Amino acid sequence: MSGVGGITTARRDTAAGDIPVDTPRLPAREAAESELSKPMYHENDPNFLQRALNQFWDWVAGVFDAAAGAAPGGPAGLAVLVVIVIGLAAAFWWRLGTPQRSSRSADALFDSDGTRSAAQHRAAAETHAAALRWTEAVQERMRAIVRSLEERALLDPRPGRTADEAAAAAGRTLPEHTTRLCAAARSFDDVTYGGRTADQPTYLSLRTLDLELDEAKPLLPGTSRGATG
């Protein structure tokens, strides 16, 4: 009797208020998310940069894993391929040499179509002048001036030299012509890089300067300007 009565009492107690709580799934998940969103749970979380770096390194690891899986021999084969690529790069570097900055600047006086003599530049200038192409005539006459000074060893040939640099260097050897040399260089720059159009007087001025320089006597080291004739 006591056993049966105990079972009956247990059932009555359960029916009276000890029913297990069965919380629906959606409210439970929302409650959990709300609880986990509290700052106390995220004090040691990585910042944005750390998370980005972690994702990047995960991506790199995935790439290497994929490459290792595709390479013959797995990771060991991938390591061999990397060594081969590095070796080939080193060989090309040794064969071609260290990349050098172009010695010819953007505003170099001479074009890169080969070296021409002063006489050739003068002939080209006269051809342009005859056709009334004054801009091209001024350019070629300035090149003739500088090339002539190089041929006479009054200027050291130097690739990439600009018109201004040539005029300044020539002025130290031919000081009486410094002002006109600088003016000629400015005319060259104006028509070549400044978008201006040359005219006949400008060309004739450079032509006269070229003829005078061809007969000018250089200032020798240790000689004063007054001693030149």
Side-chain angles (χ1 to χ4, degrees), residues 94-114:
W94 177 82
R95 178 66 179 85
L96 300 177
T98 304
Q100 298 290 335
R101 179 179 176 270
S102 176
S103 60
R104 190 175 300 276
S105 61
D107 54 352
L109 177 63
F110 295 101
D111 297 328
S112 57
D113 57 353

Side-chain angles (χ1 to χ4, degrees), residues 14-218:
T14 301
D18 293 338
I19 300 174
V21 178
D22 185 10
T23 305
R25 292 184 179 181
L26 182 59
R29 185 177 64 183
E30 292 177 349
E33 291 177 351
S34 176
E35 178 67 20
L36 294 175
S37 65
K38 294 180 180 179
M40 60 181 295
Y41 295 105
H42 301 279
E43 294 178 352
N44 298 320
D45 287 355
N47 57 31
F48 174 78
L49 179 59
Q50 290 174 330
R51 293 196 302 271
L53 288 175
N54 290 338
Q55 293 177 356
F56 171 75
W57 289 119
D58 290 342
W59 175 79
V60 171
V63 171
F64 274 98
D65 289 341
L78 177 62
V80 172
L81 291 177
V82 170
V83 172
I84 292 175
V85 171
I86 294 175
L88 289 175
F92 276 113
W93 186 276
W94 177 82
R95 178 66 179 85
L96 300 177
T98 304
Q100 298 290 335
R101 179 179 176 270
S102 176
S103 60
R104 190 175 300 276
S105 61
D107 54 352
L109 177 63
F110 295 101
D111 297 328
S112 57
D113 57 353
T115 302
R116 291 189 292 172
S117 65
Q120 289 175 315
H121 284 295
R122 290 185 180 116
E126 289 298 311
T127 299
H128 288 306
L132 305 182
R133 296 190 294 267
W134 301 115
T135 295
E136 292 83 355
V138 165
Q139 292 171 331
E140 288 299 322
R141 183 59 69 166
M142 184 63 194
R143 291 170 181 140
I145 290 173
V146 175
R147 184 67 76 204
S148 176
L149 295 174
E150 291 177 349
E151 291 173 352
R152 295 171 60 193
L154 300 182
L155 276 181
D156 293 330
R158 182 161 62 84
R161 173 186 278 143
T162 66
D164 291 329
E165 292 171 344
R172 290 190 288 270
T173 306
L174 301 166
E176 294 181 356
H177 297 84
T178 299
T179 301
R180 295 174 65 192
L181 280 166
C182 291
R186 284 195 298 271
S187 297
F188 177 88
D189 290 341
D190 287 344
V191 301
T192 305
Y193 313 111
R196 298 185 182 180
T197 301
D199 53 19
Q200 183 179 18
T202 302
Y203 173 71
L204 293 179
S205 176
L206 265 72
R207 184 176 182 273
T208 300
L209 176 61
D210 184 21
L211 296 176
E212 291 180 3
L213 290 174
D214 201 37
E215 298 179 356
K217 296 180 181 180

